[in-house]
Amino acid sequence: MAESVVLDPVDLHLLRLLQNDARATYRDLAAQVGVAPSTCLDRVTRLRRSGVILGHRLELDPAKLGRGLEALLSVQVRPHRRELVGPFVERIRVLPESRTVFHLTGPDDYLVHVAVADMADLQRLVLDEFTSQREVARVETRLIFQQWECGPLLPPSPSAQSA
């Protein structure tokens, strides 16, 4: 497990602002946080180097790209051995329909978030790319009606850590 990084209130404020708008300029960030632009640049650079900031992503609307149906696929792999699951994960990750792949504990081994054109496309994906694989024992599909983004990710507050 990666070691956590010590963050002060200015770092936390910068992270909150950047998670809400990763394209904000250093000048705008500095003004909102109350530091000089050069200090802001130094702090964001340190947060990148320390691995707190992993990158910047462009968020797209799947429906506007012709992928208006999203689903979660619970996948059970048998036997669950490294030599089978490694290639399985890589095969799933490169599918254009795959959004996110989670390795889980419990009865299911993987949860795969997919975006497809319609029900026929979802059926094709499940049958051709998942259940046709020898190592896939079971796939359970759940449609996503709606999703919401949550607030910015910040470290636990000191009171939550001592509880």
Side-chain angles (χ1 to χ4, degrees):
M1 181 176 224
E3 197 170 310
S4 61
V5 175
V6 177
L7 303 170
D8 68 16
V10 172
D11 294 328
L12 295 173
H13 196 177
L14 283 169
L15 291 173
R16 186 177 295 109
L17 292 169
L18 285 168
Q19 285 183 79
N20 290 327
D21 181 7
R23 295 177 359 162
T25 66
Y26 291 116
R27 180 183 309 240
D28 290 342
L29 290 170
Q32 291 181 66
V33 175
V35 297
S38 60
T39 301
C40 182
L41 172 62
D42 290 345
R43 283 179 173 261
V44 172
T45 300
R46 181 180 54 79
L47 291 167
R48 281 192 187 105
R49 284 191 184 133
S50 67
V52 172
I53 296 176
L54 298 176
H56 304 278
R57 292 178 181 83
L58 180 65
E59 189 175 343
L60 304 174
D61 183 342
K64 292 191 175 160
L65 296 173
R67 296 182 182 279
L69 181 64
E70 294 185 70
L72 296 172
L73 307 179
S74 300
V75 182
Q76 197 175 69
V77 174
R78 294 292 176 260
H80 193 176
R81 292 195 320 250
R82 188 175 299 278
E83 63 269 13
L84 291 176
V85 298
F88 168 78
V89 169
E90 289 311 308
R91 190 169 46 253
I92 298 311
R93 287 185 65 213
V94 299
L95 293 173
E97 299 88 354
S98 294
R99 306 284 313 272
T100 312
V101 180
F102 299 94
H103 191 190
L104 308 172
T105 63
D108 297 315
D109 300 311
Y110 295 94
L111 183 64
V112 184
H113 177 192
V114 299
V116 295
D118 52 29
M119 287 297 268
D121 196 27
L122 180 59
Q123 181 182 26
R124 176 207 52 79
L125 178 69
V126 170
L127 294 175
D128 295 348
E129 302 296 343
F130 285 85
T131 60
S132 66
Q133 303 301 318
R134 245 187 353 234
E135 66 273 18
V136 174
R138 185 179 61 78
V139 175
E140 201 171 287
T141 305
R142 291 174 178 85
L143 297 180
I144 299 173
F145 290 136
Q146 194 170 3
Q147 69 183 40
W148 295 266
E149 293 295 323
C150 297
L153 177 65
L154 298 172
S157 64
S159 60
Q161 290 176 335
S162 62

